[in-house]
Amino acid sequence: DAGVTQSPTHLIKTRGQQVTLRCSPKSGHDTVSWYQQALGQGPQFIFQYYEEEERQRGNFPDRFSGHQFPNYSSELNVNALLLGDSALYLCASSLKGDRDIQPQHFGDGTRLSIL
Amino acid sequence: GEDVEQSLFLSVREGDSSVINCTYTDSSSTYLYWYKQEPGAGLQLLTYIFSNMDMKQDQRLTVLLNKKDKHLSLRIADTQTGDSAIYFCAETGDTGFQKLVFGTGTRLLVSP
């Protein structure tokens, strides 16, 4: 049973560039969330996708956008990269339960470095 | 607003018990979670507790919840060097679409 997989594992970009990160959810999961983890900090919620729609969004600018595909996989896009965007980007998947909250399972993340 | 606080560092000897503490502010939090992060890795779900419970035990892990004081703790019995990692407490609301709000993490160092 494959867990959450993310690609690439590491990425180096320069300021102003654009980047796309990818995530495949755990088998059977239909909801994907993205988090940004700066060095020495806890993860910060970016947004969550369910049924190919953004359902909830954290305090991140519009430069951060996403997409969910019919197979539940997801992409995170960041435009006009800033030095402050350097972080570990984590994808988490879960199953949207009708009555119970389902725990989120995380991938190993993509380490993004901006030069 | 939502806020989760944890102490930054804990050092124990192998075989001792470790207790990692967390306080949160959102009284509507329905579930509270403990995640473990090893160097260079993502977050591993350790355990979680529903807000109407006081305690949950899972092998070496015991979670205690004091909802009145909004205090959560994770006790690791017989701590091993492999338990050295950063431990994050996280809370979530009561809706079907919910974000996790994390603390800054507690770095646990287990010495032989």
Side-chain angles (χ1 to χ4, degrees):
Chain A
D1 180 20
V4 179
T5 58
Q6 293 186 242
S7 64
T9 54
H10 294 85
L11 202 52
I12 300 175
K13 291 285 187 179
T14 57
R15 282 179 297 174
Q17 286 189 310
Q18 177 264 344
V19 69
T20 297
L21 310 182
R22 296 177 175 80
C23 172
S24 291
K26 184 178 166 68
S27 178
H29 285 183
D30 57 11
T31 301
V32 173
S33 303
W34 287 92
Y35 293 81
Q36 181 196 66
Q37 186 180 21
L39 199 61
Q41 301 296 317
Q44 299 289 316
F45 176 77
I46 303 175
F47 42 51
Q48 184 178 83
Y49 277 84
Y50 172 71
E51 291 188 338
E52 303 178 49
E53 290 187 6
E54 183 184 292
R55 292 291 180 166
Q56 197 174 18
R57 189 178 182 94
N59 293 326
F60 279 81
D62 292 344
R63 297 187 298 109
F64 290 77
S65 63
H67 190 77
Q68 186 180 33
F69 299 94
N71 67 352
Y72 308 118
S73 67
S74 177
E75 289 182 348
L76 164 65
N77 301 292
V78 187
N79 294 323
L81 287 165
L82 303 174
L83 293 178
D85 295 332
S86 294
L88 179 68
Y89 288 85
L90 294 162
C91 172
S93 73
S94 56
L95 181 64
K96 181 190 176 300
D98 289 332
R99 285 176 289 180
D100 296 329
I101 299 291
Q102 300 297 316
Q104 295 181 27
H105 295 259
F106 284 78
D108 283 338
T110 294
R111 173 76 58 189
L112 176 63
S113 299
I114 310 301
L115 302 180
Chain B
E2 305 150 329
D3 191 22
V4 177
E5 293 190 358
Q6 300 179 239
S7 53
L8 292 179
F9 188 75
L10 176 64
S11 179
V12 301
R13 289 199 176 274
E14 194 172 24
D16 289 348
S17 291
S18 306
V19 179
I20 302 171
N21 295 301
C22 167
T23 57
Y24 61 97
T25 57
D26 189 351
S27 58
S28 69
S29 290
T30 306
Y31 284 85
L32 295 127
Y33 299 83
W34 285 103
Y35 284 88
K36 175 185 180 183
Q37 187 174 37
E38 298 185 59
L43 274 67
Q44 174 193 351
L45 177 65
L46 290 178
T47 187
Y48 59 100
I49 188 168
F50 188 49
S51 58
N52 69 352
M53 298 170 64
D54 297 325
M55 186 183 84
K56 181 179 180 181
Q57 187 155 2
D58 185 359
Q59 300 181 331
R60 293 191 298 123
L61 304 179
T62 302
V63 178
L64 295 177
L65 175 60
N66 181 329
K67 196 172 181 182
K68 174 177 170 290
D69 294 337
K70 298 178 189 170
H71 183 266
L72 183 74
S73 68
L74 174 69
R75 179 178 180 270
I76 306 173
D78 187 25
T79 314
Q80 303 297 308
T81 54
D83 294 324
S84 293
I86 300 176
Y87 291 79
F88 290 95
C89 166
E91 64 172 351
T92 188
D94 60 357
T95 62
F97 303 104
Q98 28 69 32
K99 65 181 183 183
L100 291 172
V101 177
F102 286 87
T104 53
T106 299
R107 182 178 296 275
L108 174 64
L109 179 63
V110 183
S111 54

mmCIF file of all heavy atoms in Angstrom, chain B residues 1-9 20-26 32 34 69-73 87-91 101-106:
data_model
loop_
_atom_site.group_PDB
_atom_site.id
_atom_site.type_symbol
_atom_site.label_atom_id
_atom_site.label_comp_id
_atom_site.label_asym_id
_atom_site.label_seq_id
_atom_site.Cartn_x
_atom_site.Cartn_y
_atom_site.Cartn_z
ATOM 1 N N GLY B 1 -8.333 33.185 17.993
ATOM 2 C CA GLY B 1 -7.540 32.636 16.907
ATOM 3 C C GLY B 1 -6.940 31.306 17.302
ATOM 4 O O GLY B 1 -7.020 30.872 18.444
ATOM 5 N N GLU B 2 -6.359 30.646 16.323
ATOM 6 C CA GLU B 2 -5.766 29.343 16.576
ATOM 7 C C GLU B 2 -4.291 29.512 16.877
ATOM 8 O O GLU B 2 -3.580 30.203 16.153
ATOM 9 C CB GLU B 2 -5.948 28.450 15.347
ATOM 10 C CG GLU B 2 -7.392 28.314 14.908
ATOM 11 C CD GLU B 2 -7.501 28.087 13.420
ATOM 12 O OE1 GLU B 2 -6.630 28.583 12.682
ATOM 13 O OE2 GLU B 2 -8.454 27.436 12.998
ATOM 14 N N ASP B 3 -3.833 28.865 17.935
ATOM 15 C CA ASP B 3 -2.434 28.912 18.277
ATOM 16 C C ASP B 3 -2.113 27.651 19.052
ATOM 17 O O ASP B 3 -2.900 27.216 19.895
ATOM 18 C CB ASP B 3 -2.131 30.162 19.104
ATOM 19 C CG ASP B 3 -0.639 30.394 19.250
ATOM 20 O OD1 ASP B 3 0.119 29.876 18.426
ATOM 21 O OD2 ASP B 3 -0.244 31.089 20.207
ATOM 22 N N VAL B 4 -0.956 27.088 18.775
ATOM 23 C CA VAL B 4 -0.501 25.896 19.470
ATOM 24 C C VAL B 4 0.920 26.161 19.955
ATOM 25 O O VAL B 4 1.764 26.600 19.169
ATOM 26 C CB VAL B 4 -0.524 24.663 18.537
ATOM 27 C CG1 VAL B 4 0.013 23.433 19.244
ATOM 28 C CG2 VAL B 4 -1.936 24.412 18.029
ATOM 29 N N GLU B 5 1.175 25.900 21.219
ATOM 30 C CA GLU B 5 2.492 26.163 21.786
ATOM 31 C C GLU B 5 3.090 24.898 22.366
ATOM 32 O O GLU B 5 2.394 24.101 22.999
ATOM 33 C CB GLU B 5 2.402 27.248 22.857
ATOM 34 C CG GLU B 5 2.038 28.618 22.315
ATOM 35 C CD GLU B 5 2.185 29.724 23.344
ATOM 36 O OE1 GLU B 5 2.536 29.419 24.493
ATOM 37 O OE2 GLU B 5 1.929 30.884 22.986
ATOM 38 N N GLN B 6 4.402 24.750 22.155
ATOM 39 C CA GLN B 6 5.141 23.614 22.710
ATOM 40 C C GLN B 6 6.479 24.108 23.233
ATOM 41 O O GLN B 6 7.019 25.103 22.733
ATOM 42 C CB GLN B 6 5.433 22.575 21.619
ATOM 43 C CG GLN B 6 4.232 21.989 20.944
ATOM 44 C CD GLN B 6 4.644 20.994 19.862
ATOM 45 O OE1 GLN B 6 4.301 21.157 18.699
ATOM 46 N NE2 GLN B 6 5.382 19.952 20.251
ATOM 47 N N SER B 7 7.017 23.395 24.200
ATOM 48 C CA SER B 7 8.381 23.674 24.621
ATOM 49 C C SER B 7 9.315 23.208 23.515
ATOM 50 O O SER B 7 8.993 22.297 22.753
ATOM 51 C CB SER B 7 8.702 22.954 25.935
ATOM 52 O OG SER B 7 8.394 21.581 25.806
ATOM 53 N N LEU B 8 10.479 23.851 23.404
ATOM 54 C CA LEU B 8 11.338 23.635 22.254
ATOM 55 C C LEU B 8 12.196 22.384 22.341
ATOM 56 O O LEU B 8 12.519 21.774 21.324
ATOM 57 C CB LEU B 8 12.245 24.851 22.048
ATOM 58 C CG LEU B 8 11.565 26.137 21.601
ATOM 59 C CD1 LEU B 8 12.605 27.245 21.459
ATOM 60 C CD2 LEU B 8 10.810 25.928 20.302
ATOM 61 N N PHE B 9 12.559 21.996 23.549
ATOM 62 C CA PHE B 9 13.584 20.971 23.669
ATOM 63 C C PHE B 9 13.357 20.100 24.890
ATOM 64 O O PHE B 9 12.926 20.587 25.946
ATOM 65 C CB PHE B 9 14.959 21.654 23.759
ATOM 66 C CG PHE B 9 16.124 20.715 23.693
ATOM 67 C CD1 PHE B 9 16.499 20.136 22.496
ATOM 68 C CD2 PHE B 9 16.854 20.412 24.840
ATOM 69 C CE1 PHE B 9 17.572 19.271 22.432
ATOM 70 C CE2 PHE B 9 17.931 19.544 24.784
ATOM 71 C CZ PHE B 9 18.293 18.974 23.572
ATOM 72 N N ILE B 20 6.030 15.120 26.565
ATOM 73 C CA ILE B 20 6.041 16.313 25.722
ATOM 74 C C ILE B 20 4.689 17.000 25.874
ATOM 75 O O ILE B 20 3.644 16.359 25.749
ATOM 76 C CB ILE B 20 6.283 15.934 24.247
ATOM 77 C CG1 ILE B 20 7.614 15.187 24.118
ATOM 78 C CG2 ILE B 20 6.279 17.168 23.364
ATOM 79 C CD1 ILE B 20 7.849 14.572 22.755
ATOM 80 N N ASN B 21 4.736 18.292 26.159
ATOM 81 C CA ASN B 21 3.517 19.042 26.460
ATOM 82 C C ASN B 21 3.150 20.015 25.346
ATOM 83 O O ASN B 21 4.008 20.494 24.595
ATOM 84 C CB ASN B 21 3.691 19.814 27.767
ATOM 85 C CG ASN B 21 3.847 18.894 28.954
ATOM 86 O OD1 ASN B 21 2.975 18.081 29.238
ATOM 87 N ND2 ASN B 21 4.975 18.994 29.649
ATOM 88 N N CYS B 22 1.867 20.337 25.302
ATOM 89 C CA CYS B 22 1.331 21.210 24.255
ATOM 90 C C CYS B 22 0.121 21.937 24.818
ATOM 91 O O CYS B 22 -0.683 21.334 25.547
ATOM 92 C CB CYS B 22 0.950 20.335 23.057
ATOM 93 S SG CYS B 22 -0.063 21.107 21.789
ATOM 94 N N THR B 23 -0.005 23.219 24.496
ATOM 95 C CA THR B 23 -1.225 23.948 24.831
ATOM 96 C C THR B 23 -1.807 24.527 23.546
ATOM 97 O O THR B 23 -1.073 24.880 22.616
ATOM 98 C CB THR B 23 -0.960 25.083 25.833
ATOM 99 O OG1 THR B 23 0.019 25.972 25.290
ATOM 100 C CG2 THR B 23 -0.476 24.542 27.164
ATOM 101 N N TYR B 24 -3.109 24.601 23.484
ATOM 102 C CA TYR B 24 -3.769 25.105 22.291
ATOM 103 C C TYR B 24 -4.856 26.091 22.704
ATOM 104 O O TYR B 24 -5.260 26.140 23.874
ATOM 105 C CB TYR B 24 -4.355 23.948 21.470
ATOM 106 C CG TYR B 24 -5.395 23.125 22.188
ATOM 107 C CD1 TYR B 24 -6.745 23.360 22.011
ATOM 108 C CD2 TYR B 24 -5.018 22.111 23.071
ATOM 109 C CE1 TYR B 24 -7.708 22.612 22.681
ATOM 110 C CE2 TYR B 24 -5.966 21.365 23.746
ATOM 111 C CZ TYR B 24 -7.303 21.608 23.544
ATOM 112 O OH TYR B 24 -8.259 20.877 24.224
ATOM 113 N N THR B 25 -5.331 26.871 21.731
ATOM 114 C CA THR B 25 -6.269 27.933 22.090
ATOM 115 C C THR B 25 -7.670 27.710 21.546
ATOM 116 O O THR B 25 -8.638 28.237 22.095
ATOM 117 C CB THR B 25 -5.769 29.290 21.569
ATOM 118 O OG1 THR B 25 -5.576 29.205 20.156
ATOM 119 C CG2 THR B 25 -4.462 29.676 22.235
ATOM 120 N N ASP B 26 -7.798 26.938 20.459
ATOM 121 C CA ASP B 26 -9.092 26.818 19.806
ATOM 122 C C ASP B 26 -9.973 25.809 20.548
ATOM 123 O O ASP B 26 -9.763 24.601 20.452
ATOM 124 C CB ASP B 26 -8.895 26.379 18.349
ATOM 125 C CG ASP B 26 -10.187 26.434 17.547
ATOM 126 O OD1 ASP B 26 -11.260 26.644 18.147
ATOM 127 O OD2 ASP B 26 -10.114 26.252 16.315
ATOM 128 N N LEU B 32 -7.044 16.216 18.200
ATOM 129 C CA LEU B 32 -5.680 16.690 18.463
ATOM 130 C C LEU B 32 -4.730 15.565 18.115
ATOM 131 O O LEU B 32 -4.999 14.396 18.417
ATOM 132 C CB LEU B 32 -5.547 17.118 19.923
ATOM 133 C CG LEU B 32 -6.445 18.341 20.221
ATOM 134 C CD1 LEU B 32 -7.340 18.067 21.401
ATOM 135 C CD2 LEU B 32 -5.598 19.566 20.432
ATOM 136 N N TRP B 34 -0.589 14.023 17.364
ATOM 137 C CA TRP B 34 0.851 14.043 17.559
ATOM 138 C C TRP B 34 1.514 13.448 16.328
ATOM 139 O O TRP B 34 1.183 12.336 15.907
ATOM 140 C CB TRP B 34 1.261 13.252 18.797
ATOM 141 C CG TRP B 34 0.965 13.958 20.074
ATOM 142 C CD1 TRP B 34 -0.057 13.712 20.939
ATOM 143 C CD2 TRP B 34 1.718 15.046 20.640
ATOM 144 N NE1 TRP B 34 0.000 14.576 22.011
ATOM 145 C CE2 TRP B 34 1.077 15.406 21.853
ATOM 146 C CE3 TRP B 34 2.859 15.756 20.255
ATOM 147 C CZ2 TRP B 34 1.543 16.434 22.672
ATOM 148 C CZ3 TRP B 34 3.312 16.766 21.063
ATOM 149 C CH2 TRP B 34 2.674 17.105 22.255
ATOM 150 N N ASP B 69 -8.182 23.016 30.511
ATOM 151 C CA ASP B 69 -6.973 23.824 30.457
ATOM 152 C C ASP B 69 -6.387 23.891 29.056
ATOM 153 O O ASP B 69 -5.344 24.517 28.851
ATOM 154 C CB ASP B 69 -5.909 23.271 31.416
ATOM 155 C CG ASP B 69 -6.331 23.393 32.863
ATOM 156 O OD1 ASP B 69 -7.190 24.251 33.163
ATOM 157 O OD2 ASP B 69 -5.817 22.621 33.696
ATOM 158 N N LYS B 70 -7.008 23.199 28.086
ATOM 159 C CA LYS B 70 -6.514 23.142 26.707
ATOM 160 C C LYS B 70 -5.061 22.685 26.692
ATOM 161 O O LYS B 70 -4.189 23.311 26.069
ATOM 162 C CB LYS B 70 -6.683 24.487 26.008
ATOM 163 C CG LYS B 70 -8.138 24.915 25.894
ATOM 164 C CD LYS B 70 -8.275 26.278 25.241
ATOM 165 C CE LYS B 70 -9.700 26.759 25.340
ATOM 166 N NZ LYS B 70 -9.849 28.166 24.933
ATOM 167 N N HIS B 71 -4.824 21.588 27.360
ATOM 168 C CA HIS B 71 -3.474 21.049 27.514
ATOM 169 C C HIS B 71 -3.459 19.598 27.050
ATOM 170 O O HIS B 71 -4.307 18.786 27.445
ATOM 171 C CB HIS B 71 -3.039 21.146 28.975
ATOM 172 C CG HIS B 71 -1.637 20.664 29.192
ATOM 173 N ND1 HIS B 71 -1.364 19.360 29.572
ATOM 174 C CD2 HIS B 71 -0.441 21.295 29.070
ATOM 175 C CE1 HIS B 71 -0.052 19.218 29.677
ATOM 176 N NE2 HIS B 71 0.533 20.375 29.383
ATOM 177 N N LEU B 72 -2.489 19.308 26.226
ATOM 178 C CA LEU B 72 -2.314 17.971 25.650
ATOM 179 C C LEU B 72 -0.898 17.499 25.965
ATOM 180 O O LEU B 72 0.048 18.304 25.914
ATOM 181 C CB LEU B 72 -2.515 18.029 24.139
ATOM 182 C CG LEU B 72 -2.449 16.734 23.344
ATOM 183 C CD1 LEU B 72 -3.696 15.901 23.568
ATOM 184 C CD2 LEU B 72 -2.297 17.036 21.849
ATOM 185 N N SER B 73 -0.750 16.246 26.312
ATOM 186 C CA SER B 73 0.600 15.723 26.525
ATOM 187 C C SER B 73 0.758 14.367 25.861
ATOM 188 O O SER B 73 -0.219 13.632 25.662
ATOM 189 C CB SER B 73 0.920 15.618 28.020
ATOM 190 O OG SER B 73 0.126 14.610 28.628
ATOM 191 N N TYR B 87 8.792 16.400 17.651
ATOM 192 C CA TYR B 87 7.405 15.994 17.840
ATOM 193 C C TYR B 87 6.494 17.223 17.744
ATOM 194 O O TYR B 87 6.715 18.225 18.430
ATOM 195 C CB TYR B 87 7.231 15.306 19.199
ATOM 196 C CG TYR B 87 7.913 13.957 19.236
ATOM 197 C CD1 TYR B 87 9.293 13.858 19.418
ATOM 198 C CD2 TYR B 87 7.192 12.793 19.035
ATOM 199 C CE1 TYR B 87 9.927 12.631 19.416
ATOM 200 C CE2 TYR B 87 7.815 11.549 19.039
ATOM 201 C CZ TYR B 87 9.183 11.484 19.214
ATOM 202 O OH TYR B 87 9.812 10.259 19.206
ATOM 203 N N PHE B 88 5.500 17.115 16.882
ATOM 204 C CA PHE B 88 4.568 18.214 16.667
ATOM 205 C C PHE B 88 3.193 17.854 17.200
ATOM 206 O O PHE B 88 2.669 16.765 16.938
ATOM 207 C CB PHE B 88 4.433 18.535 15.176
ATOM 208 C CG PHE B 88 5.646 19.163 14.565
ATOM 209 C CD1 PHE B 88 6.594 18.390 13.906
ATOM 210 C CD2 PHE B 88 5.851 20.534 14.652
ATOM 211 C CE1 PHE B 88 7.711 18.965 13.343
ATOM 212 C CE2 PHE B 88 6.973 21.118 14.083
ATOM 213 C CZ PHE B 88 7.900 20.338 13.433
ATOM 214 N N CYS B 89 2.630 18.799 17.907
ATOM 215 C CA CYS B 89 1.237 18.748 18.321
ATOM 216 C C CYS B 89 0.440 19.521 17.272
ATOM 217 O O CYS B 89 0.926 20.543 16.751
ATOM 218 C CB CYS B 89 1.150 19.403 19.700
ATOM 219 S SG CYS B 89 -0.474 19.834 20.277
ATOM 220 N N ALA B 90 -0.770 19.064 16.947
ATOM 221 C CA ALA B 90 -1.593 19.773 15.963
ATOM 222 C C ALA B 90 -3.057 19.669 16.358
ATOM 223 O O ALA B 90 -3.499 18.654 16.920
ATOM 224 C CB ALA B 90 -1.376 19.208 14.563
ATOM 225 N N GLU B 91 -3.793 20.708 16.046
ATOM 226 C CA GLU B 91 -5.222 20.702 16.332
ATOM 227 C C GLU B 91 -5.992 20.916 15.033
ATOM 228 O O GLU B 91 -5.458 21.413 14.042
ATOM 229 C CB GLU B 91 -5.595 21.805 17.326
ATOM 230 C CG GLU B 91 -5.347 23.203 16.797
ATOM 231 C CD GLU B 91 -5.889 24.291 17.704
ATOM 232 O OE1 GLU B 91 -6.613 23.990 18.667
ATOM 233 O OE2 GLU B 91 -5.599 25.471 17.422
ATOM 234 N N VAL B 101 -3.438 22.869 12.449
ATOM 235 C CA VAL B 101 -2.637 23.964 12.979
ATOM 236 C C VAL B 101 -1.585 23.344 13.881
ATOM 237 O O VAL B 101 -1.920 22.677 14.879
ATOM 238 C CB VAL B 101 -3.500 24.972 13.763
ATOM 239 C CG1 VAL B 101 -2.622 26.067 14.354
ATOM 240 C CG2 VAL B 101 -4.577 25.571 12.874
ATOM 241 N N PHE B 102 -0.321 23.565 13.538
ATOM 242 C CA PHE B 102 0.788 22.909 14.232
ATOM 243 C C PHE B 102 1.473 23.838 15.215
ATOM 244 O O PHE B 102 1.517 25.065 15.025
ATOM 245 C CB PHE B 102 1.850 22.459 13.223
ATOM 246 C CG PHE B 102 1.471 21.263 12.417
ATOM 247 C CD1 PHE B 102 0.761 21.406 11.235
ATOM 248 C CD2 PHE B 102 1.823 19.986 12.830
ATOM 249 C CE1 PHE B 102 0.402 20.295 10.485
ATOM 250 C CE2 PHE B 102 1.477 18.873 12.080
ATOM 251 C CZ PHE B 102 0.767 19.028 10.913
ATOM 252 N N GLY B 103 2.050 23.246 16.254
ATOM 253 C CA GLY B 103 2.980 23.955 17.103
ATOM 254 C C GLY B 103 4.335 24.028 16.421
ATOM 255 O O GLY B 103 4.525 23.521 15.309
ATOM 256 N N THR B 104 5.304 24.637 17.105
ATOM 257 C CA THR B 104 6.639 24.787 16.534
ATOM 258 C C THR B 104 7.482 23.538 16.701
ATOM 259 O O THR B 104 8.580 23.455 16.172
ATOM 260 C CB THR B 104 7.380 25.978 17.156
ATOM 261 O OG1 THR B 104 7.339 25.833 18.578
ATOM 262 C CG2 THR B 104 6.741 27.287 16.751
ATOM 263 N N GLY B 105 6.960 22.567 17.444
ATOM 264 C CA GLY B 105 7.677 21.305 17.589
ATOM 265 C C GLY B 105 8.579 21.269 18.805
ATOM 266 O O GLY B 105 9.152 22.276 19.212
ATOM 267 N N THR B 106 8.695 20.079 19.385
ATOM 268 C CA THR B 106 9.603 19.824 20.507
ATOM 269 C C THR B 106 10.671 18.843 20.043
ATOM 270 O O THR B 106 10.348 17.739 19.592
ATOM 271 C CB THR B 106 8.849 19.226 21.714
ATOM 272 O OG1 THR B 106 7.858 20.133 22.165
ATOM 273 C CG2 THR B 106 9.820 18.884 22.838
#
